Amino acid sequence: MTTNTRLPGGLIARLAETALVAAPFRLADGARLESYFDEYRLAADPELLRDTATALATLVPGDAQLLAGIELGGVPLVVALSAATGLPAVFLRRQPKGYGSRRQIEGAPFTGRRTVLVDDVVRSGAQLLAMARILRMAGAPVSDALCVLERPLGGRALLAEHRVTLHSLLTETDLPTGKQEAE
């Protein structure tokens, strides 16, 4: 395990104990993992969610004006992070709502506000990139993204190609031995 000096003592172990699940898991692209990061277990533990948001708050760029959580895993994180930082938040749907508001972006006003994307796990970076494009087209400049766990599957490089800097709380090398296959 790599020592991550940015995190308060015990947070890595608590995240691993609570949110890493040693069970077969199939990703949307059909890939199979032997263990995965369960963002719902993180979101369901109020102390762990608060402590994770406090740690993530240290990664928020100083000139950020707005936080944007991606459905579904990024929403509880962005709510907790908004409370920890005092920054307003928006919530991003993968597709516009099919009824009611018919919006894809809900929450605080966002036009012209420097926005930071928030999600639970980053693998390829494709989902974050798609959401950055949606926000940019809607008038919200995006140059940074935050995640709890970064898997080394090219996400950082893809985002960098599109002028988005990824800030991750953890990488797989920060996790306890045997958990490196976490989603």
Side-chain angles (χ1 to χ4, degrees):
M1 177 165 89
T2 303
T3 303
N4 186 327
T5 57
R6 296 175 308 182
L7 299 180
L11 183 57
I12 294 172
R14 289 172 47 218
L15 280 165
E17 181 180 310
T18 302
L20 290 176
V21 179
F25 187 79
R26 189 161 308 279
L27 299 172
D29 65 5
R32 179 187 154 109
L33 301 173
E34 293 307 314
S35 62
Y36 64 98
F37 185 84
D38 189 338
E39 72 273 9
Y40 303 110
R41 289 185 178 189
L42 164 60
D45 183 324
E47 253 183 63
L48 185 58
L49 181 60
R50 179 199 62 223
D51 293 348
T52 301
T54 299
L56 279 171
T58 66
L59 302 178
V60 176
D63 59 348
Q65 298 174 306
L66 185 71
L67 303 169
I70 299 172
E71 77 167 323
L72 186 58
V75 170
L77 288 169
V78 85
V79 169
L81 187 57
S82 176
T85 62
L87 291 170
V90 294
F91 312 99
L92 302 170
R93 291 187 177 91
R94 295 183 201 299
Q95 297 293 321
K97 188 173 181 180
Y99 58 93
S101 71
R102 299 196 179 276
R103 293 187 192 126
Q104 192 165 10
I105 306 169
E106 298 278 4
F110 53 85
T111 303
R113 295 174 107 175
R114 186 164 159 2
T115 304
V116 177
L117 286 165
V118 180
D119 207 358
D120 53 351
V121 178
V122 172
R123 292 182 299 274
S124 71
Q127 185 63 46
L128 278 173
L129 181 57
M131 295 295 109
R133 286 178 174 154
I134 288 165
L135 282 164
R136 287 171 173 170
M137 288 189 301
V142 177
S143 59
D144 293 276
L146 305 178
C147 68
V148 175
L149 179 63
E150 176 187 353
R151 297 191 72 224
L153 299 173
R156 180 175 295 276
L158 177 67
L159 292 168
E161 288 174 18
H162 296 275
R163 302 175 329 278
V164 177
T165 301
L166 180 62
H167 307 273
S168 57
L169 192 59
L170 300 170
T171 64
E172 286 187 2
T173 59
D174 293 316
L175 299 173
T177 305
K179 299 287 187 171
Q180 276 74 19
E181 289 300 309
E183 194 256 316

